[in-house]
Structure formats: C-alpha cells, structure tokens
Amino acid sequence: MLPGFWPHPDDEPAAEAGREPVVVVTPDEMPLRGLLWTPPGKRWRTAVVLAHPRADFSVHYAAPLLAAAGYAVFGFATRYVNNDIDCLHELLLVDVAAAVGELRGQGAEAVVLLGNSGGGSLMALAQAERSLGDAFVALAAHPGEGAFMLNAIDPSVTDEADPFSADPDLDMYDPANGWRPWPQPSRYEQAWLDRYRQAQRDRVARLDTVAREAVEERAEAKAAAGRARGTAAWNHLRRRAVHARYLTVYRTLANPAYLDPDIEPDDRRLGSIFAFPDPLDANYGYGGLARVMTARGWLSTWSGLSSPAAMAHTMPAVRIPTLVVHPTADTEIRLSEARAVHAASGSDDATYVELPGAPHYLDGHRRAALELVVDWLRPRVPS
C-alpha cells in the first residue's frame, strides 16, 4: 500500500466486490488488460468504464465504491500504459470503444464514461467522436493533456537542444520576476504573467512546427518510395519513410500558479503533484511530462494547440447527461478551467459540483466524492 493512494481503509466498502481479470482485444489486435469489478450478490445493469491515456486504472479508487453501489466497473490499461512516447489519441479511441463493446456484449444496459484526471479529456473525445456512453462523469479532470502542458511548459527555453538555456525575462524561477525559494510563496505581476502565458503558446507553436515538418517529411518519403519501387532509390527512400523523429522537450513543470497562491486563488497548497516537493527541481530533473515524444505523439497528446483531446472543443458534442466534479485544492486544475468544461457541455443535463478542500487524488474525500457520483447516477442509469 502506498500512503495516500488506493487501497486505503477509508476507501473500502463494507462488502467486498467481485473482481475478474478481463482481456479485451481491439480490432487491430491490441490486448487491453483490466479488472471487471462487480457488485456483491447482485446482477448489474450499468457498467462504468475507467481509463487514462498512460495509467493503469484497473485498481482505481473509484472501482470498489462504485461496485458496492451496484454498478459494474471496468478499469483497464490502454495500449500506451506507462509509456506515452508515441501516444495517439486516435488509437486510444479504438481502445475505449473495444472496452465499451465488451461491456455491452456482457449485457450492459447503460455505460458510464468516467474520466478522471487525464482520462477526462480522453473520455470526452470518445463520446464526441464515437457516441459510446449513456452518461459522462468528469472527476478531477483537467481540460486536456495538451491544455495542461500549455500552462506548465517553461517558455524561457531559448534552445531546445540545451536544457539550461533560459531567457531571464521569462524565467519563473528567477528572483527578478517574483520567485522566492521554496517553501516561500512567489509573487508574479499580472503584466509579466500575460507575457509568460503568450510565450508558452509561442514555444508550443514552435514545437508543433518541428513536429509537423517531421510528419510531413515521413509522408512525402513514403509516397516517393511507393513510386520508386523497383529502382535503386527505393531502398533509401524506405528508410526515410519509416523513420520516426523524436522530440526531447525539456522543462515542462513551470506553471506560476504552483508557487503563487494569488493566481486564481483556491484551496490548493503550494507545489504540484509532479514535484517532490519543489517544482524547480522537477522542472530540471529526471522524468517530466512529455520529456521524450515522437512527432506525431506530441501533436496528438501533449500539444495544447494541436491535440484533438481538448475539452473546450469536444464538450459541445457531449450531449449525454454530464457531471463535472472539481476538487478545490487541486494543484493542477484551476477553478476557471473546471467551470469552463461544464460551461462547454452540449448536454441539457449538465451538473457542476465543487469538493471544498479536496486535492487532485481526492485523498480523504473519495468516499464523499463517489457517494455524490452515485446519487447523481441513480435517476439517470439503471441500477
């Protein structure tokens, strides 16, 4: 057991749910492994699907609590589990559709798409593109992995090949711009923040240009190789046709809101769930989100200007009953972003609820959050 994560005694229902390993094979023959949680002593009628682009949601904290309430829950790992270097949301849709198809085949009268964290934008995209569900729940869901990156990427980088290059005027970790050593709060002026946010978009746009050029070069070489089959040039063109250029994206944990509590004030603590504890260390250190990506993976998943999984664009097409639950102590998602997801919904039955004091992983608030979800589901899907 990891402290603060499932399983935790406070998250355990009184009756133990059934658990069955399930392997779903997609139409393109990718095996997806997960757990089907079922209510104790009861035949279920509605199934909840849980998935995240790169995380294994088979043992998600919501599963036992929802199963205890009478729902089947299928949490599974997508084809990109623990490795999103080449993550294509277009193929993630195939995974979600296969999981939903499995549950429909097992007799589900209704399917709930539950999107938690990065799974929120995935499930919204799945509904917008494939109309897979009968209800949609966004639980601590950010507005898209690309939208998240647009706020977190470090715009002070001046040379993508040099992880230490920095424009001091755009460095949120420079004392001249308002930074103070951890754990003191920093203070950034609004005019500087406005320039910073624009510079973040500019850096993403530059990365998009590099990625698009790589994708186009590959496509052009593939077309040329097809025309040159049987010639001396064919062998060399083939190499370019299958080549995948990788982007190394340094410094992706630089959201000023992590250190300045006056930026869109809420109940959050200083810092980020991705930093332990100081974001400066994580911004420059090992790991980091989107640190190494294929060109097409960057465009599909982590680009805030190109990824299709942006809830601002998908939510108008999500017309099924929708519940948006936002924890107000979330270090990663601002109140304005959660409220915008709800406001963008295309459903006539859209509900927005805030959980005061709850952090991103809902530690200490999971049972209350899932009771809220269950109360909302009861009149909308069979139980």
Side-chain angles (χ1 to χ4, degrees):
M1 172 181 160
L2 293 174
F5 293 89
W6 188 90
H8 189 280
D10 292 341
D11 303 329
E12 290 290 332
E16 185 172 351
R19 283 183 286 182
E20 175 189 350
V22 174
V23 177
V24 177
V25 180
T26 67
D28 58 340
E29 299 185 339
M30 293 297 297
L32 310 174
R33 293 174 173 83
L35 286 177
L36 180 63
W37 299 70
T38 52
K42 179 181 183 295
R43 169 61 190 168
W44 53 272
R45 299 170 63 194
T46 292
V48 180
V49 177
L50 275 163
H52 185 283
R54 66 188 175 281
D56 182 354
F57 270 10
S58 61
V59 289
H60 192 279
Y61 60 79
L65 293 169
L66 288 171
Y71 304 102
V73 182
F74 184 51
F76 70 97
T78 75
R79 66 184 71 199
Y80 299 115
V81 63
N82 296 330
N83 186 353
D84 68 352
I85 288 174
D86 191 37
C87 182
L88 304 181
H89 271 75
E90 296 80 358
L91 293 180
L92 287 173
L93 295 187
V94 176
D95 294 356
V96 176
V100 172
E102 171 70 19
L103 294 168
R104 299 279 190 193
Q106 290 201 28
E109 297 175 32
V111 171
V112 179
L113 303 178
L114 196 159
N116 173 226
S117 192
S121 54
L122 169 59
M123 290 302 184
L125 179 65
Q127 183 61 26
E129 295 286 333
R130 300 283 187 108
S131 298
L132 297 174
D134 301 286
F136 172 62
V137 177
L139 181 64
H142 55 62
E145 290 181 298
F148 172 89
M149 181 59 64
L150 206 55
N151 286 327
I153 198 165
D154 190 334
S156 70
V157 171
T158 57
D159 180 354
E160 294 294 341
D162 180 0
F164 298 106
S165 65
D167 177 349
D169 290 338
L170 291 171
D171 187 354
M172 70 169 269
Y173 298 110
D174 189 317
N177 297 322
W179 176 81
R180 297 294 178 267
W182 181 271
Q184 299 177 58
S186 300
R187 292 289 185 264
Y188 303 103
E189 297 294 332
Q190 187 60 50
W192 181 87
L193 277 171
D194 293 341
R195 289 192 294 110
Y196 189 90
R197 296 302 188 194
Q198 182 57 52
Q200 288 179 306
R201 298 181 68 86
D202 293 344
R203 185 183 177 200
V204 170
R206 291 194 297 271
L207 289 166
D208 279 16
T209 297
V210 173
R212 289 190 188 285
E213 288 175 353
V215 171
E216 290 166 5
E217 287 171 7
R218 191 174 193 266
E220 289 169 1
K222 183 177 181 179
R227 294 190 299 268
R229 183 173 292 275
T231 71
W234 174 72
N235 183 286
H236 293 283
L237 285 168
R238 248 184 96 217
R239 300 175 194 189
R240 292 183 175 276
V242 298
H243 174 67
R245 187 185 302 178
Y246 287 77
L247 307 181
T248 302
V249 186
Y250 293 111
R251 311 222 306 262
T252 56
L253 205 70
N255 187 343
Y258 289 150
L259 299 180
D260 185 345
D262 290 338
I263 297 174
E264 296 200 52
D266 52 20
D267 301 324
R268 69 186 184 275
R269 60 173 176 79
L270 290 182
S272 164
I273 60 172
F274 300 109
F276 306 99
D278 185 351
L280 182 150
D281 297 343
N283 193 47
Y284 282 88
Y286 287 110
L289 299 172
R291 187 58 54 85
V292 178
M293 297 294 299
T294 63
R296 65 182 188 176
W298 167 263
L299 292 169
S300 181
T301 295
W302 285 111
S303 168
L305 303 179
S306 299
S307 172
M311 295 179 81
H313 300 144
T314 58
M315 285 303 294
V318 177
R319 301 185 179 92
I320 54 178
T322 294
L323 172 64
V324 178
V325 180
H326 175 65
T328 65
D330 196 326
T331 58
E332 312 308 314
I333 307 162
R334 303 283 62 77
L335 288 166
S336 63
E337 293 176 311
R339 292 167 181 171
V341 168
H342 171 253
S345 173
S347 175
D348 292 333
D349 179 8
T351 305
Y352 175 74
V353 180
E354 292 176 357
L355 295 175
H360 183 72
Y361 292 123
L362 305 187
D363 313 24
H365 300 260
R366 292 171 181 169
R367 185 178 292 275
L370 271 299
E371 287 174 355
L372 185 157
V373 171
V374 168
D375 287 344
W376 182 85
L377 287 175
R378 291 280 190 222
R380 293 172 173 85
V381 294
S383 60

